[in-house]
Amino acid sequence: MKFTQILSLLVLLLFTTFSTQAQLKKGYKLLNKKNYEESITAFERDIFNNKKNIAVEAEYNLAKIYFNKDFEDYNLEKAYEYAKSALNRQLKLKGKELKKSQNSGLGKLMLENYKRQIVNEAYTVAKRENNYAAYQYFLDTYDGPTPIQLEKVTIWRNQRGFEEIKKKNSYVRYENFRNRYLIDLQTYTPKTDSLLQMKLFESFIEENGWSQYSRFASKYPNNVYIKDSAAVAN
């Protein structure tokens, strides 16, 4: 490679490095002025910075922006994804990059705690909305709830989901719901599971008639209705 080509590549590399570093400083200035949209643009560029500690800092700041209720595009899911990504990046840092990240206050525990704050807020939102969709969204989106949060949301999801499909009273809906959440129903809400099994049987008979009882019994030998009938017969 010619000297001029090498020199051009070095200049381009230096320009890119200084440019991306400058974006971080620019992002802070814009953030202090509450110019959220432009600060997002600045921090987003630093996600691709070759210095990985800068990328961690950029994603952390993006999480802060989306977790700020003063921001009109406040978005818990985006905040969580950036916080999660910043933490994952931080865990891969080594040497000088790790030290710089820690010196800037972005250590593992700090990022874990910040991620936890977002999950706690998402939990509060789901609880406030108190419907099947909100609880399922929480479970699908946030992989960092505490064991207690996970248990409670799963219980509420099962209960609210069952209440909602009862309004439709369809055998297929009962069957799909139970097949999808079978383990969770049996583990966290056995009472709801029993009620669901009863509605499953009742809706099947209502839609197909008593002549199809044996077909249902063959398909669901452990259904509470079928087991009770077998117990009485014996």
Side-chain angles (χ1 to χ4, degrees):
M1 186 180 291
K2 295 180 180 180
F3 176 77
T4 53
Q5 291 177 308
I6 295 174
L7 182 60
S8 296
L9 287 172
L10 287 173
V11 170
L12 179 61
L13 179 61
L14 286 171
F15 175 79
T16 302
T17 302
F18 286 126
S19 176
T20 51
Q21 285 180 327
Q23 290 302 314
L24 196 61
K25 294 178 181 178
K26 181 180 178 181
Y28 279 119
K29 289 179 180 179
L30 291 166
L31 192 55
N32 288 334
K33 295 177 182 178
K34 296 186 177 180
N35 189 337
Y36 299 117
E37 293 292 348
E38 290 190 31
S39 63
I40 286 174
T41 300
F43 288 129
E44 282 179 338
R45 290 177 182 175
D46 271 328
I47 291 176
F48 305 101
N49 199 297
N50 289 331
K51 295 183 178 180
K52 297 181 178 64
N53 59 292
I54 291 179
V56 170
E57 194 167 350
E59 289 202 300
Y60 167 69
N61 280 286
L62 286 166
K64 283 178 62 179
I65 293 172
Y66 283 107
F67 193 38
N68 185 348
K69 292 183 179 179
D70 291 335
F71 179 39
E72 62 179 8
D73 290 328
Y74 169 81
N75 189 309
L76 278 174
E77 183 175 352
K78 283 188 177 180
Y80 176 75
E81 288 303 321
Y82 278 123
K84 179 181 176 181
S85 182
L87 175 60
N88 289 339
R89 286 177 185 270
Q90 199 278 344
L91 294 174
K92 296 176 183 177
L93 296 182
K94 296 178 181 179
K96 292 181 179 179
E97 290 181 335
L98 176 58
K99 189 173 182 179
K100 286 181 179 179
S101 181
Q102 292 171 334
N103 288 341
S104 65
L106 298 178
K108 174 187 174 183
L109 290 178
M110 184 276 175
L111 290 172
E112 284 179 338
N113 287 335
Y114 194 73
K115 178 185 168 188
R116 165 66 46 213
Q117 290 177 43
I118 299 171
V119 174
N120 288 344
E121 179 63 21
Y123 174 80
T124 299
V125 170
K127 188 176 179 182
R128 182 169 61 243
E129 293 183 9
N130 193 30
N131 58 56
Y132 164 77
Y135 291 132
Q136 186 58 50
Y137 178 79
F138 178 86
L139 293 170
D140 288 339
T141 306
Y142 304 97
D143 60 7
T146 65
I148 292 176
Q149 288 175 335
L150 179 61
E151 179 178 357
K152 286 185 175 181
V153 171
T154 303
I155 289 172
W156 296 330
R157 187 276 312 278
N158 291 354
Q159 293 171 339
R160 299 298 171 268
F162 177 54
E163 289 170 4
E164 290 182 24
I165 61 172
K166 275 199 302 183
K167 296 174 184 177
K168 303 293 183 179
N169 197 37
S170 161
Y171 163 70
V172 171
R173 289 178 183 272
Y174 290 129
E175 181 181 50
N176 290 342
F177 187 82
R178 188 162 191 267
N179 287 343
R180 181 177 181 183
Y181 302 118
L182 179 59
I183 295 176
D184 285 347
L185 285 161
Q186 293 175 333
T187 303
Y188 296 102
T189 52
K191 183 177 179 180
T192 298
D193 184 46
S194 294
L195 294 172
L196 175 57
Q197 289 184 62
M198 293 170 67
K199 296 299 292 184
L200 181 70
F201 174 79
E202 291 169 0
S203 61
F204 177 87
I205 296 300
E206 184 178 335
E207 293 176 22
N208 297 280
W210 280 98
S211 62
Q212 297 299 312
Y213 175 90
S214 60
R215 181 159 67 93
F216 182 90
S218 176
K219 187 174 184 179
Y220 294 104
N222 293 317
N223 180 275
V224 290
Y225 261 120
I226 304 305
K227 290 176 69 174
D228 288 347
S229 298
V232 171
N234 293 328

